[in-house]
Amino acid sequence: MTEVFANVQAAAPDAILGVTAKYLADPRPEKVNLGVGLYLDETGKPKVLDVVREEQEALIEAGLPNTYLPIRGLPAYRDLTQKMVFGEQSEVVQSGRACTIQALGGTGAIKLAADFMRNVCGATVGASSDPTWGNHDGIMRLAGMQVQRYRYYDAAHFCVDFSGMLEDVAKLPAGAMPIFHSCCHNPTGYDLTLEQWTQLLELCRSHGLVPLLDMAYQGFRDGLDADAAAIRLFAESDLDFLVATSYSKSFGLYSERVGALTVVTGSKKQADAVTTRIEALARANYSNPPSFGSRIVAGVLSDAAKRARWEVELAAMRDRIRAMRHALVQETEKIGAKRDFSFVTRQGGMFSFTGFTPEQMDRLATEFGIYAVRNGRICICGLNTSNVAYVARAFAAVL
Ligand code: PMP
């Protein structure tokens, strides 16, 4: 051997994947996994939506040829995604001044966004919230951006540190790409109010920033339209910005990699040019997107009856999450926990920042078999009516 690979050091283990391994190895029957990043139903299983399963079966039955999709993706899927993001009647949709390119999940959309901003638009600086989803920084760095963090979480008051956020975003250089979580912030669960979004939008405009709104959980907080409110507010301004869409959670299609990047420009002509540049980036990355997931999503969204059924199933996921947030707070109140956990109901989406220290998280694991990320993030979907009282007792015990 020429020993080229002899000195390769193994990458640091993924903090979240390690959680599940520890959970699986724990023999205690009362153990709880609050570390996962996907929707689990009341029985602790990943959810297969009925309307998605039927569409999947119909597609297999139809036996379409597995030829390449266009690099920009399935046309119907791209159109429907744009309407999902901005609303059917949106000026952005009608004018054609936004382009939507199918991507490999939300991750793939962020990757295309970072590559495009760095290589085509010359953005050398990206920014992410502190804390943020683990992949934002890695993707921006790999694209060649220098990454800055902006304050987001106020640990002392269990809320967003909005003035800190504004201060830090204002320090970014013109042309930088800050990533904002458009709803269901991962990992904290705290979102901005519309008022705060308005201020942030003004700041982006006055400082020449080009934000990427990461929309991984549309429909998981308050509803499909309500959760897109920030994006629609931005769309009403004259700001150039980008949106990363993921259907992984809302359709329960995690492995099919269904996402999209939308770039909002000033005109159809600009949008057409941008599309060709992003296509070139996709071509050099992976060439063509996969068709199965995007056909499922397009099939459901384009049929009024199927779409209505999907919305009902999505609402059921959303309602269960909300119910579990309330149940956790009620249970901690019932046993007189030293901390007021009502902040959990002010958060939204799958995740909650509990405020526990890494040491408290370790105690939850060793003493109670409750596993989650050491930064204090729990996935609310790991809770159900059978384990929520046990988890509340454990939370109270480690305070
Ligand atoms: N952004 C955020 C904030 C996320 O939480 C996730 C998924 N965990 C993604 C993007 C990526 O989504 P996908 O799985 O579709 O790549």
PDB file of all heavy atoms in Angstrom, residues 37 104-108 110 132-133 136 181 184-186 214-217 245-249 253-254 257-259 351 377, ligand 1:
ATOM      1  N   GLY A  37     -34.345  12.918  15.916  1.00  0.00           N
ATOM      2  CA  GLY A  37     -34.718  14.111  15.158  1.00  0.00           C
ATOM      3  C   GLY A  37     -35.811  13.810  14.162  1.00  0.00           C
ATOM      4  O   GLY A  37     -35.811  14.335  13.060  1.00  0.00           O
ATOM      5  N   LEU A 104     -31.778  17.782  -2.594  1.00  0.00           N
ATOM      6  CA  LEU A 104     -31.703  16.555  -1.800  1.00  0.00           C
ATOM      7  C   LEU A 104     -32.055  16.869  -0.337  1.00  0.00           C
ATOM      8  O   LEU A 104     -31.181  17.050   0.508  1.00  0.00           O
ATOM      9  CB  LEU A 104     -30.297  15.946  -1.871  1.00  0.00           C
ATOM     10  CG  LEU A 104     -29.705  15.747  -3.276  1.00  0.00           C
ATOM     11  CD1 LEU A 104     -28.368  15.041  -3.199  1.00  0.00           C
ATOM     12  CD2 LEU A 104     -30.656  14.940  -4.144  1.00  0.00           C
ATOM     13  N   GLY A 105     -33.336  16.990  -0.073  1.00  0.00           N
ATOM     14  CA  GLY A 105     -33.804  17.350   1.257  1.00  0.00           C
ATOM     15  C   GLY A 105     -33.492  18.796   1.571  1.00  0.00           C
ATOM     16  O   GLY A 105     -32.966  19.548   0.735  1.00  0.00           O
ATOM     17  N   GLY A 106     -33.827  19.190   2.803  1.00  0.00           N
ATOM     18  CA  GLY A 106     -33.510  20.558   3.244  1.00  0.00           C
ATOM     19  C   GLY A 106     -32.001  20.752   3.280  1.00  0.00           C
ATOM     20  O   GLY A 106     -31.487  21.821   2.938  1.00  0.00           O
ATOM     21  N   THR A 107     -31.277  19.700   3.664  1.00  0.00           N
ATOM     22  CA  THR A 107     -29.818  19.783   3.709  1.00  0.00           C
ATOM     23  C   THR A 107     -29.265  20.124   2.334  1.00  0.00           C
ATOM     24  O   THR A 107     -28.404  20.997   2.193  1.00  0.00           O
ATOM     25  CB  THR A 107     -29.231  18.423   4.157  1.00  0.00           C
ATOM     26  OG1 THR A 107     -29.862  18.030   5.367  1.00  0.00           O
ATOM     27  CG2 THR A 107     -27.730  18.505   4.350  1.00  0.00           C
ATOM     28  N   GLY A 108     -29.763  19.421   1.316  1.00  0.00           N
ATOM     29  CA  GLY A 108     -29.288  19.656  -0.051  1.00  0.00           C
ATOM     30  C   GLY A 108     -29.612  21.063  -0.519  1.00  0.00           C
ATOM     31  O   GLY A 108     -28.843  21.673  -1.277  1.00  0.00           O
ATOM     32  N   ILE A 110     -29.800  23.729   1.443  1.00  0.00           N
ATOM     33  CA  ILE A 110     -28.862  24.646   2.112  1.00  0.00           C
ATOM     34  C   ILE A 110     -27.493  24.554   1.443  1.00  0.00           C
ATOM     35  O   ILE A 110     -26.798  25.551   1.246  1.00  0.00           O
ATOM     36  CB  ILE A 110     -28.778  24.315   3.623  1.00  0.00           C
ATOM     37  CG1 ILE A 110     -30.147  24.512   4.269  1.00  0.00           C
ATOM     38  CG2 ILE A 110     -27.730  25.180   4.324  1.00  0.00           C
ATOM     39  CD1 ILE A 110     -30.292  23.863   5.637  1.00  0.00           C
ATOM     40  N   THR A 132     -27.484  26.389  16.864  1.00  0.00           N
ATOM     41  CA  THR A 132     -28.248  26.079  15.654  1.00  0.00           C
ATOM     42  C   THR A 132     -28.203  24.588  15.367  1.00  0.00           C
ATOM     43  O   THR A 132     -27.535  23.820  16.070  1.00  0.00           O
ATOM     44  CB  THR A 132     -27.732  26.874  14.443  1.00  0.00           C
ATOM     45  OG1 THR A 132     -28.698  26.783  13.383  1.00  0.00           O
ATOM     46  CG2 THR A 132     -26.394  26.339  13.930  1.00  0.00           C
ATOM     47  N   TRP A 133     -28.931  24.195  14.338  1.00  0.00           N
ATOM     48  CA  TRP A 133     -28.874  22.825  13.841  1.00  0.00           C
ATOM     49  C   TRP A 133     -27.431  22.549  13.409  1.00  0.00           C
ATOM     50  O   TRP A 133     -26.806  23.398  12.749  1.00  0.00           O
ATOM     51  CB  TRP A 133     -29.841  22.700  12.655  1.00  0.00           C
ATOM     52  CG  TRP A 133     -29.837  21.370  11.986  1.00  0.00           C
ATOM     53  CD1 TRP A 133     -30.076  20.151  12.569  1.00  0.00           C
ATOM     54  CD2 TRP A 133     -29.597  21.121  10.592  1.00  0.00           C
ATOM     55  NE1 TRP A 133     -30.000  19.168  11.616  1.00  0.00           N
ATOM     56  CE2 TRP A 133     -29.712  19.731  10.401  1.00  0.00           C
ATOM     57  CE3 TRP A 133     -29.308  21.933   9.497  1.00  0.00           C
ATOM     58  CZ2 TRP A 133     -29.545  19.137   9.164  1.00  0.00           C
ATOM     59  CZ3 TRP A 133     -29.147  21.345   8.262  1.00  0.00           C
ATOM     60  CH2 TRP A 133     -29.269  19.964   8.095  1.00  0.00           C
ATOM     61  N   HIS A 136     -25.619  23.536   9.751  1.00  0.00           N
ATOM     62  CA  HIS A 136     -25.526  24.847   9.078  1.00  0.00           C
ATOM     63  C   HIS A 136     -24.074  25.280   8.885  1.00  0.00           C
ATOM     64  O   HIS A 136     -23.665  25.650   7.776  1.00  0.00           O
ATOM     65  CB  HIS A 136     -26.259  25.928   9.889  1.00  0.00           C
ATOM     66  CG  HIS A 136     -27.747  25.882   9.722  1.00  0.00           C
ATOM     67  ND1 HIS A 136     -28.612  26.415  10.647  1.00  0.00           N
ATOM     68  CD2 HIS A 136     -28.530  25.369   8.740  1.00  0.00           C
ATOM     69  CE1 HIS A 136     -29.856  26.237  10.242  1.00  0.00           C
ATOM     70  NE2 HIS A 136     -29.829  25.610   9.094  1.00  0.00           N
ATOM     71  N   HIS A 181     -33.992  30.438  11.008  1.00  0.00           N
ATOM     72  CA  HIS A 181     -34.955  29.332  11.031  1.00  0.00           C
ATOM     73  C   HIS A 181     -36.348  29.968  10.910  1.00  0.00           C
ATOM     74  O   HIS A 181     -36.758  30.708  11.810  1.00  0.00           O
ATOM     75  CB  HIS A 181     -34.880  28.567  12.347  1.00  0.00           C
ATOM     76  CG  HIS A 181     -33.525  27.977  12.643  1.00  0.00           C
ATOM     77  ND1 HIS A 181     -33.358  26.671  13.041  1.00  0.00           N
ATOM     78  CD2 HIS A 181     -32.280  28.515  12.602  1.00  0.00           C
ATOM     79  CE1 HIS A 181     -32.067  26.431  13.236  1.00  0.00           C
ATOM     80  NE2 HIS A 181     -31.395  27.531  12.979  1.00  0.00           N
ATOM     81  N   CYS A 184     -40.152  26.904  14.121  1.00  0.00           N
ATOM     82  CA  CYS A 184     -39.714  25.703  14.854  1.00  0.00           C
ATOM     83  C   CYS A 184     -38.191  25.639  14.959  1.00  0.00           C
ATOM     84  O   CYS A 184     -37.555  24.674  14.517  1.00  0.00           O
ATOM     85  CB  CYS A 184     -40.238  24.428  14.185  1.00  0.00           C
ATOM     86  SG  CYS A 184     -41.998  24.376  13.915  1.00  0.00           S
ATOM     87  N   HIS A 185     -37.605  26.665  15.542  1.00  0.00           N
ATOM     88  CA  HIS A 185     -36.141  26.740  15.640  1.00  0.00           C
ATOM     89  C   HIS A 185     -35.563  25.453  16.237  1.00  0.00           C
ATOM     90  O   HIS A 185     -36.010  24.975  17.276  1.00  0.00           O
ATOM     91  CB  HIS A 185     -35.757  27.946  16.510  1.00  0.00           C
ATOM     92  CG  HIS A 185     -34.283  28.169  16.601  1.00  0.00           C
ATOM     93  ND1 HIS A 185     -33.495  27.558  17.551  1.00  0.00           N
ATOM     94  CD2 HIS A 185     -33.439  28.924  15.845  1.00  0.00           C
ATOM     95  CE1 HIS A 185     -32.232  27.941  17.388  1.00  0.00           C
ATOM     96  NE2 HIS A 185     -32.173  28.763  16.354  1.00  0.00           N
ATOM     97  N   ASN A 186     -34.569  24.929  15.558  1.00  0.00           N
ATOM     98  CA  ASN A 186     -33.873  23.733  16.013  1.00  0.00           C
ATOM     99  C   ASN A 186     -32.477  24.144  16.453  1.00  0.00           C
ATOM    100  O   ASN A 186     -31.708  24.619  15.613  1.00  0.00           O
ATOM    101  CB  ASN A 186     -33.797  22.705  14.865  1.00  0.00           C
ATOM    102  CG  ASN A 186     -33.037  21.447  15.257  1.00  0.00           C
ATOM    103  OD1 ASN A 186     -32.671  21.266  16.408  1.00  0.00           O
ATOM    104  ND2 ASN A 186     -32.818  20.581  14.285  1.00  0.00           N
ATOM    105  N   ASP A 214     -34.474  28.990   6.508  1.00  0.00           N
ATOM    106  CA  ASP A 214     -34.477  27.529   6.528  1.00  0.00           C
ATOM    107  C   ASP A 214     -35.824  27.054   7.055  1.00  0.00           C
ATOM    108  O   ASP A 214     -36.167  27.262   8.213  1.00  0.00           O
ATOM    109  CB  ASP A 214     -33.323  27.050   7.431  1.00  0.00           C
ATOM    110  CG  ASP A 214     -33.214  25.536   7.441  1.00  0.00           C
ATOM    111  OD1 ASP A 214     -33.922  24.877   6.653  1.00  0.00           O
ATOM    112  OD2 ASP A 214     -32.419  25.011   8.247  1.00  0.00           O
ATOM    113  N   MET A 215     -36.574  26.414   6.174  1.00  0.00           N
ATOM    114  CA  MET A 215     -37.954  26.003   6.497  1.00  0.00           C
ATOM    115  C   MET A 215     -38.029  24.474   6.516  1.00  0.00           C
ATOM    116  O   MET A 215     -38.443  23.848   5.545  1.00  0.00           O
ATOM    117  CB  MET A 215     -38.870  26.575   5.412  1.00  0.00           C
ATOM    118  CG  MET A 215     -40.290  26.120   5.467  1.00  0.00           C
ATOM    119  SD  MET A 215     -41.132  26.908   6.801  1.00  0.00           S
ATOM    120  CE  MET A 215     -42.357  27.812   5.889  1.00  0.00           C
ATOM    121  N   ALA A 216     -37.600  23.890   7.630  1.00  0.00           N
ATOM    122  CA  ALA A 216     -37.571  22.423   7.699  1.00  0.00           C
ATOM    123  C   ALA A 216     -38.838  21.851   8.325  1.00  0.00           C
ATOM    124  O   ALA A 216     -39.033  20.638   8.318  1.00  0.00           O
ATOM    125  CB  ALA A 216     -36.339  21.969   8.477  1.00  0.00           C
ATOM    126  N   TYR A 217     -39.690  22.723   8.884  1.00  0.00           N
ATOM    127  CA  TYR A 217     -40.837  22.216   9.660  1.00  0.00           C
ATOM    128  C   TYR A 217     -42.139  22.933   9.334  1.00  0.00           C
ATOM    129  O   TYR A 217     -42.938  23.201  10.232  1.00  0.00           O
ATOM    130  CB  TYR A 217     -40.537  22.350  11.164  1.00  0.00           C
ATOM    131  CG  TYR A 217     -39.271  21.633  11.575  1.00  0.00           C
ATOM    132  CD1 TYR A 217     -38.051  22.302  11.627  1.00  0.00           C
ATOM    133  CD2 TYR A 217     -39.292  20.276  11.872  1.00  0.00           C
ATOM    134  CE1 TYR A 217     -36.873  21.641  11.973  1.00  0.00           C
ATOM    135  CE2 TYR A 217     -38.131  19.602  12.221  1.00  0.00           C
ATOM    136  CZ  TYR A 217     -36.931  20.295  12.272  1.00  0.00           C
ATOM    137  OH  TYR A 217     -35.780  19.629  12.614  1.00  0.00           O
ATOM    138  N   THR A 245     -36.493  24.527   1.586  1.00  0.00           N
ATOM    139  CA  THR A 245     -37.680  23.757   1.991  1.00  0.00           C
ATOM    140  C   THR A 245     -37.293  22.299   2.217  1.00  0.00           C
ATOM    141  O   THR A 245     -36.499  21.752   1.466  1.00  0.00           O
ATOM    142  CB  THR A 245     -38.742  23.795   0.863  1.00  0.00           C
ATOM    143  OG1 THR A 245     -39.223  25.131   0.713  1.00  0.00           O
ATOM    144  CG2 THR A 245     -39.920  22.880   1.171  1.00  0.00           C
ATOM    145  N   SER A 246     -37.893  21.715   3.239  1.00  0.00           N
ATOM    146  CA  SER A 246     -37.739  20.268   3.436  1.00  0.00           C
ATOM    147  C   SER A 246     -39.120  19.662   3.634  1.00  0.00           C
ATOM    148  O   SER A 246     -39.939  20.215   4.363  1.00  0.00           O
ATOM    149  CB  SER A 246     -36.902  20.004   4.684  1.00  0.00           C
ATOM    150  OG  SER A 246     -37.027  18.644   5.071  1.00  0.00           O
ATOM    151  N   TYR A 247     -39.370  18.515   2.976  1.00  0.00           N
ATOM    152  CA  TYR A 247     -40.615  17.776   3.222  1.00  0.00           C
ATOM    153  C   TYR A 247     -40.362  16.545   4.094  1.00  0.00           C
ATOM    154  O   TYR A 247     -41.249  15.713   4.266  1.00  0.00           O
ATOM    155  CB  TYR A 247     -41.242  17.333   1.895  1.00  0.00           C
ATOM    156  CG  TYR A 247     -41.810  18.469   1.075  1.00  0.00           C
ATOM    157  CD1 TYR A 247     -41.181  18.873  -0.110  1.00  0.00           C
ATOM    158  CD2 TYR A 247     -42.976  19.122   1.459  1.00  0.00           C
ATOM    159  CE1 TYR A 247     -41.698  19.909  -0.878  1.00  0.00           C
ATOM    160  CE2 TYR A 247     -43.490  20.159   0.694  1.00  0.00           C
ATOM    161  CZ  TYR A 247     -42.857  20.536  -0.476  1.00  0.00           C
ATOM    162  OH  TYR A 247     -43.378  21.552  -1.223  1.00  0.00           O
ATOM    163  N   SER A 248     -39.129  16.438   4.605  1.00  0.00           N
ATOM    164  CA  SER A 248     -38.775  15.238   5.383  1.00  0.00           C
ATOM    165  C   SER A 248     -39.755  15.019   6.525  1.00  0.00           C
ATOM    166  O   SER A 248     -40.261  13.911   6.728  1.00  0.00           O
ATOM    167  CB  SER A 248     -37.359  15.379   5.940  1.00  0.00           C
ATOM    168  OG  SER A 248     -36.449  15.613   4.898  1.00  0.00           O
ATOM    169  N   LYS A 249     -40.032  16.094   7.280  1.00  0.00           N
ATOM    170  CA  LYS A 249     -40.894  15.962   8.452  1.00  0.00           C
ATOM    171  C   LYS A 249     -42.362  16.001   8.065  1.00  0.00           C
ATOM    172  O   LYS A 249     -43.155  15.207   8.533  1.00  0.00           O
ATOM    173  CB  LYS A 249     -40.629  17.114   9.443  1.00  0.00           C
ATOM    174  CG  LYS A 249     -39.184  17.399   9.730  1.00  0.00           C
ATOM    175  CD  LYS A 249     -38.519  16.296  10.500  1.00  0.00           C
ATOM    176  CE  LYS A 249     -37.054  16.531  10.804  1.00  0.00           C
ATOM    177  NZ  LYS A 249     -36.181  17.130   9.835  1.00  0.00           N
ATOM    178  N   LEU A 253     -41.115  11.739   4.908  1.00  0.00           N
ATOM    179  CA  LEU A 253     -40.267  11.179   3.845  1.00  0.00           C
ATOM    180  C   LEU A 253     -38.818  11.576   4.127  1.00  0.00           C
ATOM    181  O   LEU A 253     -38.300  12.511   3.530  1.00  0.00           O
ATOM    182  CB  LEU A 253     -40.708  11.719   2.472  1.00  0.00           C
ATOM    183  CG  LEU A 253     -42.017  11.175   1.914  1.00  0.00           C
ATOM    184  CD1 LEU A 253     -42.442  11.964   0.681  1.00  0.00           C
ATOM    185  CD2 LEU A 253     -41.899   9.689   1.560  1.00  0.00           C
ATOM    186  N   TYR A 254     -38.215  10.862   5.058  1.00  0.00           N
ATOM    187  CA  TYR A 254     -36.868  11.237   5.488  1.00  0.00           C
ATOM    188  C   TYR A 254     -35.809  10.723   4.520  1.00  0.00           C
ATOM    189  O   TYR A 254     -34.846  11.414   4.214  1.00  0.00           O
ATOM    190  CB  TYR A 254     -36.586  10.692   6.887  1.00  0.00           C
ATOM    191  CG  TYR A 254     -37.551  11.230   7.918  1.00  0.00           C
ATOM    192  CD1 TYR A 254     -38.754  10.590   8.186  1.00  0.00           C
ATOM    193  CD2 TYR A 254     -37.265  12.402   8.592  1.00  0.00           C
ATOM    194  CE1 TYR A 254     -39.643  11.095   9.115  1.00  0.00           C
ATOM    195  CE2 TYR A 254     -38.145  12.926   9.532  1.00  0.00           C
ATOM    196  CZ  TYR A 254     -39.329  12.261   9.780  1.00  0.00           C
ATOM    197  OH  TYR A 254     -40.204  12.772  10.695  1.00  0.00           O
ATOM    198  N   ARG A 257     -35.212  12.065   0.413  1.00  0.00           N
ATOM    199  CA  ARG A 257     -34.515  13.326   0.175  1.00  0.00           C
ATOM    200  C   ARG A 257     -35.340  14.269  -0.707  1.00  0.00           C
ATOM    201  O   ARG A 257     -35.015  14.488  -1.880  1.00  0.00           O
ATOM    202  CB  ARG A 257     -33.103  13.097  -0.431  1.00  0.00           C
ATOM    203  CG  ARG A 257     -32.270  12.045   0.254  1.00  0.00           C
ATOM    204  CD  ARG A 257     -32.249  12.181   1.758  1.00  0.00           C
ATOM    205  NE  ARG A 257     -31.601  13.401   2.198  1.00  0.00           N
ATOM    206  CZ  ARG A 257     -32.099  14.181   3.186  1.00  0.00           C
ATOM    207  NH1 ARG A 257     -33.216  13.880   3.791  1.00  0.00           N
ATOM    208  NH2 ARG A 257     -31.455  15.248   3.556  1.00  0.00           N
ATOM    209  N   VAL A 258     -36.415  14.784  -0.122  1.00  0.00           N
ATOM    210  CA  VAL A 258     -37.262  15.721  -0.854  1.00  0.00           C
ATOM    211  C   VAL A 258     -37.193  17.116  -0.242  1.00  0.00           C
ATOM    212  O   VAL A 258     -37.720  17.362   0.837  1.00  0.00           O
ATOM    213  CB  VAL A 258     -38.741  15.272  -0.972  1.00  0.00           C
ATOM    214  CG1 VAL A 258     -38.974  14.548  -2.284  1.00  0.00           C
ATOM    215  CG2 VAL A 258     -39.161  14.386   0.171  1.00  0.00           C
ATOM    216  N   GLY A 259     -36.541  17.985  -0.957  1.00  0.00           N
ATOM    217  CA  GLY A 259     -36.429  19.367  -0.531  1.00  0.00           C
ATOM    218  C   GLY A 259     -36.353  20.259  -1.751  1.00  0.00           C
ATOM    219  O   GLY A 259     -36.469  19.783  -2.895  1.00  0.00           O
ATOM    220  N   PHE A 351     -38.703  20.316  18.848  1.00  0.00           N
ATOM    221  CA  PHE A 351     -37.638  20.366  19.848  1.00  0.00           C
ATOM    222  C   PHE A 351     -37.910  21.351  20.964  1.00  0.00           C
ATOM    223  O   PHE A 351     -38.610  22.341  20.795  1.00  0.00           O
ATOM    224  CB  PHE A 351     -36.306  20.714  19.177  1.00  0.00           C
ATOM    225  CG  PHE A 351     -35.936  19.711  18.116  1.00  0.00           C
ATOM    226  CD1 PHE A 351     -35.942  20.061  16.772  1.00  0.00           C
ATOM    227  CD2 PHE A 351     -35.631  18.405  18.461  1.00  0.00           C
ATOM    228  CE1 PHE A 351     -35.631  19.128  15.792  1.00  0.00           C
ATOM    229  CE2 PHE A 351     -35.324  17.466  17.483  1.00  0.00           C
ATOM    230  CZ  PHE A 351     -35.331  17.834  16.154  1.00  0.00           C
ATOM    231  N   ARG A 377     -31.195  19.727  24.596  1.00  0.00           N
ATOM    232  CA  ARG A 377     -32.292  19.646  23.637  1.00  0.00           C
ATOM    233  C   ARG A 377     -33.016  18.318  23.782  1.00  0.00           C
ATOM    234  O   ARG A 377     -32.379  17.267  23.804  1.00  0.00           O
ATOM    235  CB  ARG A 377     -31.762  19.754  22.201  1.00  0.00           C
ATOM    236  CG  ARG A 377     -32.893  19.771  21.168  1.00  0.00           C
ATOM    237  CD  ARG A 377     -32.396  19.550  19.751  1.00  0.00           C
ATOM    238  NE  ARG A 377     -32.327  18.134  19.405  1.00  0.00           N
ATOM    239  CZ  ARG A 377     -32.174  17.668  18.175  1.00  0.00           C
ATOM    240  NH1 ARG A 377     -32.059  18.507  17.172  1.00  0.00           N
ATOM    241  NH2 ARG A 377     -32.108  16.376  17.937  1.00  0.00           N
TER     242      ARG A 377
HETATM  243  N1  PMP B   1     -32.714  22.508   8.767  1.00  0.00           N
HETATM  244  C1  PMP B   1     -33.065  22.214  10.024  1.00  0.00           C
HETATM  245  C2  PMP B   1     -33.207  23.319  11.001  1.00  0.00           C
HETATM  246  C3  PMP B   1     -33.301  20.895  10.389  1.00  0.00           C
HETATM  247  O1  PMP B   1     -33.650  20.611  11.636  1.00  0.00           O
HETATM  248  C4  PMP B   1     -33.171  19.877   9.411  1.00  0.00           C
HETATM  249  C5  PMP B   1     -33.450  18.437   9.708  1.00  0.00           C
HETATM  250  N2  PMP B   1     -33.198  17.984  10.938  1.00  0.00           N
HETATM  251  C6  PMP B   1     -32.793  20.236   8.124  1.00  0.00           C
HETATM  252  C7  PMP B   1     -32.590  21.563   7.832  1.00  0.00           C
HETATM  253  C8  PMP B   1     -32.562  19.220   7.039  1.00  0.00           C
HETATM  254  O2  PMP B   1     -33.652  18.555   6.613  1.00  0.00           O
HETATM  255  P1  PMP B   1     -33.522  17.287   5.675  1.00  0.00           P
HETATM  256  O3  PMP B   1     -33.586  16.102   6.560  1.00  0.00           O
HETATM  257  O4  PMP B   1     -34.681  17.420   4.760  1.00  0.00           O
HETATM  258  O5  PMP B   1     -32.224  17.341   4.944  1.00  0.00           O
END
